[in-house]
Amino acid sequence: MLTSGFSRYLSRKIAWYGLALIIAIALNFFLTRLIPGNPVQSMLSQLTQGGGVSSESLERLYQTYMREFGLDKPLHVQFFEYLGKVFRGDLGTSFMLYPGKVMNLIGEALPWTLGIQIPAILVGWLVGNILGALASYKGGKFDGTIFTTALVFSNIPYYGFAILLVYVFAANLGWFPLSGGYSMGMFPGWNLEFFVDVLRHWTLPFLSMILVAIGGQAIGMREMAVYELTSDYVNYSKALGLRDKKIVKYVFRNAMLPQITGLALSFGTMVGGALVTESVFSYPGMGSLLFSAIRQNDYPVIQGVTLIITLTVLLANFLVDIAYGFIDPRVRASQLGER
């Protein structure tokens, strides 16, 4: 049963994150309009590349598309219409893939991104934290080896590592495909042949992300554990004669709190976190969709993708705040002004 203090803490957090969501939706709408260029003109220039269209026809097409997409209305009217659609679950129609619905495009791209990001985040977090904790506890050569290796991998940019993997294992050795989510000419389906093909395309993007993630998590966990091992409460516990197993349990529990925050934030940013990696591998995920939309001024798709990213980030932060308030009463009291 929730206490009154926790209920007030929860209510305050819901109000804050609700306000943050509205501000984020507003920024999401207005910032996309700052991108130089007119999306309708870009679309018409692609449609009329072969020539043979009179200026009168072009003007009629331009006015028709402007009305169709609502771009002929004042900006504030467009905003309130957009706001109403968002709360009805309608993210609009793509300019460049007309009449494709944004929700459908996101629905097609999202599984590819989640298929890479979720395993990379979970495995990277788990392996990285175990290695970091072991390094801090064991010390010596083991610590030196883990720390140096993790430092190297954590400082390699995702895209740099991705390009290296493509060059070595795809371009030179030919062990894996150069790009894409599956081979051209293959039809998606629930069969072994398609699954193996998808796995071959998935391997290099996954490796480019997980090795860097393991390095970063190992460094973070090692630093936190080393700090905790030198804390006063550890020395006091040793002086009281507590067993090492008991002390280590306290140390790693305290060291895990920032790591749990990092895990939640990783989930929050995973939708947009693979933008560069997906671009390098031409992987058909949310990153590629967003990159393509930005290049073509496709406002509805940009807004749809960034809205999904915003929602996941806010949800992750909200859950972390609630978890902190539930686990640690000091956090709750501080937020409510009770200390």
Side-chain angles (χ1 to χ4, degrees):
M1 186 176 180
L2 295 177
T3 64
S4 60
F6 184 76
S7 298
R8 285 193 293 125
Y9 176 80
L10 183 61
S11 304
R12 182 170 294 192
K13 287 298 174 186
I14 290 173
W16 272 110
Y17 280 97
L19 178 63
L21 176 61
I22 292 173
I23 294 173
I25 290 174
L27 289 174
N28 191 28
F29 175 84
F30 288 108
L31 288 179
T32 51
R33 266 65 183 175
L34 296 179
I35 299 175
N38 186 317
V40 173
Q41 285 183 344
S42 302
M43 188 168 61
L44 289 178
S45 65
Q46 288 187 3
L47 290 173
T48 58
Q49 279 181 350
V53 180
S54 65
S55 57
E56 291 80 8
S57 300
L58 203 58
E59 177 62 23
R60 282 199 298 272
L61 275 174
Y62 178 83
Q63 296 300 336
T64 300
Y65 280 124
M66 288 293 282
R67 282 195 302 274
E68 176 71 19
F69 296 123
L71 297 176
D72 58 335
K73 299 175 183 175
L75 198 57
H76 68 279
V77 175
Q78 293 182 44
F79 173 67
F80 285 113
E81 287 183 352
Y82 165 72
L83 206 58
K85 287 182 178 178
V86 166
F87 285 107
R88 291 197 301 271
D90 181 5
L91 298 180
T93 304
S94 168
F95 292 167
M96 298 303 161
L97 298 173
Y98 183 82
K101 291 291 182 183
V102 176
M103 284 295 287
N104 294 336
L105 296 174
I106 290 176
E108 292 171 3
L110 191 58
W112 294 97
T113 296
L114 298 183
I116 289 183
Q117 287 280 48
I118 291 178
I121 290 171
L122 287 178
V123 176
W125 186 83
L126 189 63
V127 175
N129 279 297
I130 291 174
L131 289 175
L134 287 174
S136 66
Y137 182 67
K138 289 181 176 294
K141 289 184 179 178
F142 184 82
D143 181 26
T145 304
I146 294 295
F147 178 71
T148 305
T149 308
L151 195 63
V152 169
F153 279 109
S154 66
N155 282 285
I156 299 177
Y158 285 111
Y159 61 88
F161 200 49
I163 293 171
L164 182 65
L165 290 176
V166 168
Y167 177 75
V168 175
F169 295 105
N172 282 291
L173 297 176
W175 292 355
F176 297 97
L178 281 168
S179 62
Y182 53 89
S183 300
M184 290 183 65
M186 179 165 283
F187 292 99
W190 295 102
N191 55 70
L192 183 61
E193 185 185 8
F194 181 69
F195 177 77
V196 171
D197 190 63
V198 168
L199 193 62
R200 290 185 69 240
H201 285 79
W202 172 85
T203 302
L204 290 185
F206 173 73
L207 288 177
S208 73
M209 302 188 74
I210 191 173
L211 294 177
V212 177
I214 288 175
Q217 293 291 342
I219 293 290
M221 183 61 185
R222 177 189 176 276
E223 297 303 314
M224 287 304 302
V226 167
Y227 173 79
E228 292 291 334
L229 283 168
T230 58
S231 298
D232 290 340
Y233 75 88
V234 173
N235 295 327
Y236 185 65
S237 300
K238 288 179 179 177
L240 291 175
L242 292 182
R243 291 179 300 170
D244 282 352
K245 187 177 178 182
K246 191 85 172 174
I247 297 173
V248 167
K249 182 180 175 183
Y250 290 137
V251 165
F252 290 130
R253 191 179 70 174
N254 290 335
M256 282 302 293
L257 279 175
Q259 299 300 95
I260 291 172
T261 305
L263 175 64
L265 294 178
S266 296
F267 276 115
T269 57
M270 69 178 172
V271 174
L275 172 62
V276 180
T277 300
E278 289 180 3
S279 298
V280 170
F281 291 100
S282 297
Y283 205 72
M286 293 286 281
S288 294
L289 181 63
L290 178 60
F291 185 67
S292 174
I294 291 172
R295 283 191 308 173
Q296 297 175 327
N297 280 358
D298 199 340
Y299 295 161
V301 175
I302 297 172
Q303 290 169 177
V305 174
T306 52
L307 181 62
I308 298 296
I309 295 172
T310 302
L311 287 174
T312 53
V313 170
L314 288 176
L315 180 62
N317 280 282
F318 175 73
L319 293 177
V320 168
D321 276 349
I322 297 305
Y324 267 26
F326 187 75
I327 294 170
D328 192 342
R330 294 173 300 178
V331 174
R332 191 167 66 235
S334 175
Q335 293 284 320
L336 293 174
E338 296 174 353
R339 64 188 293 267

